[in-house]
Each structure stands twice: as structure tokens, then as C-alpha cells.
Amino acid sequence: HLHARDDDAVHKARQCARLLAALQNSPVSTIDARDRLNIYHAPARVHQLRKQGHKIATRMRTELDVYGRPHRVGVYILGGAE
């Protein structure tokens, strides 16, 4: 039986895997990560991926949420300079 901490580590590892797979296809914004990948704290997962040696750039832009409200969000790009 896994302890809660082990379960959390597995959950985070799966989020990192989903994010990395998505980044291999196209840039991913924090809104994309939340809505399409079910990752609610993308900056933390990007940080983990960077610690693993992945080069991920962050660019800022304004995107609209599902209600049409503008938000300034990070957009992550695989292979770019931080």
C-alpha cells in the first residue's frame, strides 16, 4: 500500500510525463495545461522537468479563458533557452 507522499510523487510524475509529451508537439500555456492536461500548477511541473535536464523556455502572453476573460499566462516551449 502506498503512503500519501508516494501517491503524490506518482501523481506529479504522471503530470510531468503528460506535460513533456504535449511539449514535444507544441508550446503549452498554463491554461492549456489546466484545461487539456489536468495540470493545475504547471510552473511546478516545468520546474521539475528543468531539474531533470529538459530545456524549457517561458514566454508570457495574454490568453482568454473559457469565459472570454483575459489572463496573462506563461507559455512553455521545449528546447528553448530559459
Side-chain angles (χ1 to χ4, degrees), residues 30 58-62 72-76:
T30 54
T58 303
R59 301 290 177 263
M60 300 303 291
R61 74 176 177 210
T62 299
R72 188 143 167 82
V73 297
V75 178
Y76 305 106

Side-chain angles (χ1 to χ4, degrees), residues 4-25:
R5 187 178 356 196
D6 295 332
D7 195 38
D8 189 51
V10 169
H11 184 68
K12 289 176 181 177
R14 289 180 180 156
Q15 287 185 9
C16 283
R18 287 197 307 272
L19 181 55
L20 185 58
L23 286 168
Q24 290 169 340
N25 293 316

